[in-house]
Amino acid sequence: MIKSSTAFSGNVEENKKQSPAFGIDLGTTNSAISVVGNSDVPHTIKLTSGKTTMPSCVLWNSNAPEGKQFIVGEEALEQRYKSNVVYSVKRKMGSGEVVKFVHGKKSITKTPAEVSALILKALVEKASVQYKNIKDVVITVPAEFDTKQIEDTRLAGELAGLNVLNIMREPTAASIVYKLDKKPGNVLVYDLGGGTFDVSLVEVNTASTGDSDLLDVLGIEDNEATSKDTITVKATRGDTKLGGDDLDMLMYKVLEKGLKLKGIDPTKVPKVVKEKTLLRLQKSKTNVDYMAMDYPFKYTQADGVEVDTVVRFSMQDYKKCTYRIFQKTKVYINDLLNSQNININSIVLVGGSTKNKLLKEFLAKEYPDVHIYDYLNPDESVADGAAVNAKRLKFGSDSLEIFDVTSNRIGVESDGRIVTMIEKNQTVPCTQSRMFATCVDNQEKVSINVYEGSGIYKDDCNYLGTVVLDDIPKAKAGKVAIYVSLTVDDNGLLTCSGRADGKPTKKLELVNILGRKVEKETKGSNIMFERWYTFANNLEDDKVREELLELIDKARVNPDGARDVIDYMRKLG
C-alpha cells in the first residue's frame, strides 16, 4: 500500500516567538531532554528527581485512579521484575508487536509507540518545573532505525501531545556538541546505548564567513569572523539489537553456567528471580571495581524443589562478557572504515554503555593510533545535540548545516530486477533520474515500484511504494520513454516522480527513509544465526569459541562471510 505523507516534521512557523524548542533522547534504558539557553549552549534539564536522566521504564497500576495508573521512571525500574512493568520498549518500535501489562487479574495491551508516548509525557512533566511550555521537539533515533521504527517514534511524540519538528539520528546529534581541540576533521561516533549500537563516520568542518564572534554551537571562538559549522555524515553502520541489555544477558549466562555446575537447572529459575538478578547486574556495571560478587539464588521451583545457593561472578567473567560485546561492535567499525578508506582523528564515545572502562581499554588497544574521545557526557550529549537542531529548525540559523546519508540503496523494479538509482551512503538531500522504456507492445500503464536494499531481486529488498502512470501512448515495446526521478529531502522523505513521453509528471511522497536498515533479514536467516550462536556458545574451548563467534559476527555484517563460518564449523566436525 502506498502511503502519502508529509516529512516527519511539524509546523516550525507556529508559535515561533514563544517557548524554546527542545531535544529529546528517547533511550532504551534512560531518556533525557535538553534545551539551548540564552548563552547558546545546550544543557540537559534537571528533572524533579534531581537527575538529568529518567529510566525508560513504565509501571501500570490498575487500582490507581484514572490518569494516574502509569508510573514512569525510578519507581517503575525498581519493580521491573513484575508483570505490570515494561522496559526496553524501544527495541520493539516498528515491530508491529504489542506489549502486555498484567496486574493481578487485570491486563491491558499497548503498542510500543503508546508506551513510548507515556515515557515522553513523564519526561516532559518532570522537566516542566523549569520549563512550563514544552511543545516543539526534536526526537532522536538510532542511525539504523528503519521506516516503521522512525514512524513509531514520530507517532509516540504526537500521542504525547508534542509537535515533532524532526526525527534525528543519535550519532549525528552527538557530533553537533563534539569538538576536537577546536579543530575540524573526520571522527567516528561510537554510540553504544542500552539497547542499540551505531557507528557513524562524521566530518566536522568550520568555514569562516567573515562576520561575528562565536561559533554558537560547537563553542569554537573566532574573534574576527563568524564560523559556519558543517556536520556531514559520511557513512553509518549499526545494530538495533545490540547494547547494554545484551551485556546484562551475557553476564546472566555466566551465572546460569554456575548453576549448572551445582546441578541446578537454570531454565527452572522463576522469572521474578531472573529479572531481579538482571537488575542487580545492570546496576553493578556502574562501578567496575566492585564487579566481583556473589549472586544469591533462593527460590522454589515449579516442581517443589527448594533452591538456596550463591554463584560467584568474577572480574574475569566481566572482562570476557564486555570483550564479547566489543567484538560485535568492532566488526561494524572495521566494515565502515574499510568501505571509506578515510583516516579518522578520533573515536567519540556516546551512550550510557560507553562508561564501561574496559570497553575504552579495548578500543584503545585495537585502534592505538586514534584518540579515544570520552569527554562528552554519554548520557546527555545526544539530547544536547538534538536541542541545538531543534532551535535551528524553530528559529532559523545560519551557523550550522547538517548533511546526513542514506543507509541503503534505493531503486526501481525493471525486468524482474532492482535497478539502483540512489546509492547507499548518498548525502541527503539528493536526486537521481533515469530513463526506462515500455516493455510490451501498446502498453497503456506503467507501475514504478520502488524498493530499497542490497539485493538484486524484490524479495530480498524492502518495498517502499508505487507510482502508476496511466494513458501511456501506444507504441511498440521500448519505443516510449519512461522518465523516473527519486528524491530524498533533508528530512529523509523519499519522493518518486515519473512521466511518459508527452504526458504530465506524476509525483508521490512515499516514506521517510533516514535510518533504514542496511539489510532485510528473513526469518530463515535469523534462525540460522541463532543456531550458529547457540552452537558456538556451547563450545568448551575458549579460543575456538571466540574465533567462531567473531566469524559469525562478521557474517551478519557481510553475508559473504557465511562461507567462512560453515568451513570453520566443518573443521570442528
Side-chain angles (χ1 to χ4, degrees):
M1 183 180 292
I2 301 172
K3 180 179 293 185
S4 180
S5 64
T6 58
F8 292 142
S9 55
N11 187 348
V12 300
E13 296 300 322
E14 293 180 0
N15 301 318
K16 194 168 184 180
K17 296 182 180 179
Q18 301 296 319
S19 62
F22 300 82
I24 294 178
D25 177 6
L26 182 59
T28 307
T29 306
N30 293 293
S31 295
I33 181 169
S34 297
V35 67
V36 177
N38 294 330
S39 63
D40 284 337
V41 176
H43 71 273
T44 310
I45 300 170
K46 187 172 288 189
L47 309 175
T48 52
S49 63
K51 300 178 180 179
T52 56
T53 60
M54 179 194 74
S56 304
C57 196
V58 182
L59 178 148
W60 175 60
N61 181 0
S62 63
N63 299 322
E66 191 69 29
K68 296 185 177 180
Q69 292 187 332
F70 292 99
I71 297 172
V72 183
E74 292 284 353
E75 185 177 345
L77 178 65
E78 293 300 324
Q79 302 175 70
R80 62 172 256 183
Y81 54 87
K82 295 182 178 179
S83 59
N84 63 330
V85 177
V86 170
Y87 63 95
S88 295
V89 72
K90 184 174 180 177
R91 283 190 161 189
K92 295 182 181 293
M93 295 290 267
S95 66
E97 300 177 24
V98 295
V99 293
K100 189 174 184 179
F101 296 84
V102 180
H103 188 215
K105 295 182 179 180
K106 298 180 180 180
S107 66
I108 59 168
T109 58
K110 286 191 172 293
T111 65
E114 289 173 331
V115 176
S116 296
L118 293 170
I119 295 170
L120 289 170
K121 280 183 180 179
L123 185 66
V124 168
E125 285 177 11
K126 294 174 189 291
S128 293
V129 173
Q130 296 189 52
Y131 293 89
K132 299 297 182 185
N133 188 19
I134 298 176
K135 187 71 175 178
D136 301 314
V137 301
V138 166
I139 304 175
T140 61
V141 296
E144 291 298 309
F145 254 27
D146 63 28
T147 301
K148 290 182 180 179
Q149 290 168 310
I150 292 174
E151 186 175 272
D152 262 7
T153 304
R154 176 196 54 78
L155 177 59
E158 292 177 352
L159 291 173
L162 301 171
N163 178 38
V164 183
L165 299 173
N166 189 248
I167 299 295
M168 186 180 192
R169 291 180 178 181
E170 291 164 3
T172 308
S175 67
I176 291 178
V177 294
Y178 162 78
K179 57 182 177 180
L180 181 61
D181 297 327
K182 299 184 179 180
K183 296 177 182 178
N186 295 308
V187 299
L188 201 69
V189 181
Y190 181 99
D191 184 359
L192 184 63
T196 61
F197 171 69
D198 289 312
V199 58
S200 296
L201 181 62
V202 181
E203 182 180 18
V204 180
N205 276 329
T206 302
S208 175
T209 60
D211 234 333
S212 186
D213 55 356
L214 181 68
L215 177 58
D216 60 350
V217 177
L218 298 183
I220 304 176
E221 295 183 2
D222 187 338
N223 295 325
E224 297 181 357
T226 297
S227 295
K228 187 170 186 176
D229 299 324
T230 303
I231 305 294
T232 304
V233 181
K234 297 287 191 180
T236 67
R237 297 289 189 276
D239 190 338
T240 58
K241 297 293 177 65
L242 176 61
D245 287 353
D246 301 282
L247 177 55
D248 298 342
M249 283 305 303
L250 286 175
M251 293 162 67
Y252 184 77
K253 287 184 180 296
V254 172
L255 299 180
E256 284 188 327
K257 288 183 179 180
L259 290 174
K260 282 183 180 180
L261 292 174
K262 293 174 178 284
I264 300 169
D265 186 353
T267 64
K268 294 182 179 181
V269 176
K271 182 180 178 181
V272 170
V273 175
K274 180 179 179 179
E275 289 292 340
K276 283 185 175 180
T277 306
L278 281 169
L279 179 59
R280 190 179 174 193
L281 286 167
Q282 183 191 84
K283 290 183 175 181
S284 70
K285 294 186 299 183
T286 59
N287 195 335
V288 177
D289 297 330
Y290 293 94
M291 280 306 304
M293 62 176 71
D294 293 326
Y295 284 81
F297 286 85
K298 187 175 183 179
Y299 56 88
T300 302
Q301 296 179 172
D303 55 12
V305 175
E306 297 284 343
V307 174
D308 187 0
T309 188
V310 295
V311 178
R312 185 69 174 172
F313 186 88
S314 69
M315 186 62 197
Q316 188 62 26
D317 292 327
Y318 184 59
K319 189 171 184 178
K320 286 182 178 179
C321 291
T322 300
Y323 187 71
R324 180 76 191 97
I325 296 296
F326 167 70
Q327 277 186 311
K328 285 177 174 285
T329 66
K330 183 180 73 172
V331 173
Y332 291 101
I333 295 174
N334 291 342
D335 184 62
L336 186 151
L337 293 177
N338 291 336
S339 71
Q340 297 297 308
N341 193 28
I342 293 177
N343 293 324
I344 57 174
N345 300 21
S346 195
I347 296 177
V348 182
L349 302 185
V350 180
S353 294
T354 61
K355 290 183 283 188
N356 188 328
K357 294 179 182 178
L358 292 175
L359 191 64
K360 297 175 188 177
E361 292 176 9
F362 294 146
L363 280 166
K365 185 176 181 180
E366 186 70 25
Y367 307 99
D369 299 326
V370 181
H371 177 224
I372 307 300
Y373 191 92
D374 60 353
Y375 304 118
L376 296 182
N377 186 316
D379 295 321
E380 301 176 1
S381 55
V382 169
D384 285 349
V388 172
N389 195 28
K391 180 180 180 181
R392 180 180 74 98
L393 291 172
K394 183 171 182 177
F395 299 105
S397 173
D398 293 328
S399 65
L400 175 66
E401 285 186 307
I402 301 171
F403 297 99
D404 222 318
V405 295
T406 58
S407 293
N408 216 340
R409 296 175 180 172
I410 306 171
V412 299
E413 183 183 9
S414 178
D415 294 327
R417 298 194 175 202
I418 306 303
V419 177
T420 299
M421 292 183 62
I422 296 178
E423 291 289 347
K424 175 182 175 181
N425 290 323
Q426 176 73 47
T427 301
V428 172
C430 61
T431 297
Q432 294 293 334
S433 301
R434 182 163 178 155
M435 185 180 74
F436 296 87
T438 52
C439 55
V440 296
D441 291 345
N442 299 318
Q443 188 172 344
E444 297 182 355
K445 185 171 73 172
V446 170
S447 295
I448 305 171
N449 300 314
V450 185
Y451 289 84
E452 68 169 356
S454 59
I456 60 174
Y457 300 108
K458 64 181 183 180
D459 290 343
D460 298 320
C461 298
N462 296 306
Y463 171 73
L464 299 180
T466 299
V467 173
V468 179
L469 304 182
D470 298 304
D471 197 24
I472 303 295
K474 292 183 179 181
K476 290 286 185 180
K479 295 299 183 180
V480 179
I482 306 295
Y483 301 94
V484 178
S485 292
L486 296 180
T487 298
V488 181
D489 70 12
D490 56 359
N491 280 317
L493 181 67
L494 172 66
T495 301
C496 177
S497 302
R499 69 175 180 86
D501 275 335
K503 295 294 180 178
T505 298
K506 280 195 174 182
K507 182 177 180 180
L508 187 65
E509 295 174 345
L510 299 178
V511 292
N512 186 298
I513 56 85
L514 278 186
R516 194 76 181 183
K517 286 184 180 177
V518 174
E519 202 72 46
K520 178 182 177 183
E521 289 192 67
T522 64
K523 184 176 180 181
S525 69
N526 282 329
I527 293 173
M528 176 183 70
F529 279 111
E530 286 175 8
R531 288 175 177 171
W532 284 354
Y533 278 125
T534 299
F535 175 82
N537 284 319
N538 287 328
L539 293 172
E540 296 295 331
D541 189 309
D542 287 348
K543 184 175 182 295
V544 173
R545 181 175 62 252
E546 294 305 321
E547 287 178 352
L548 180 55
L549 285 171
E550 187 170 359
L551 288 176
I552 298 172
D553 290 341
K554 289 180 179 178
R556 291 207 66 163
V557 176
N558 184 354
D560 292 339
R563 173 54 56 189
D564 295 332
V565 175
I566 294 171
D567 290 344
Y568 193 95
M569 292 175 70
R570 281 176 176 168
K571 290 178 182 178
L572 297 177

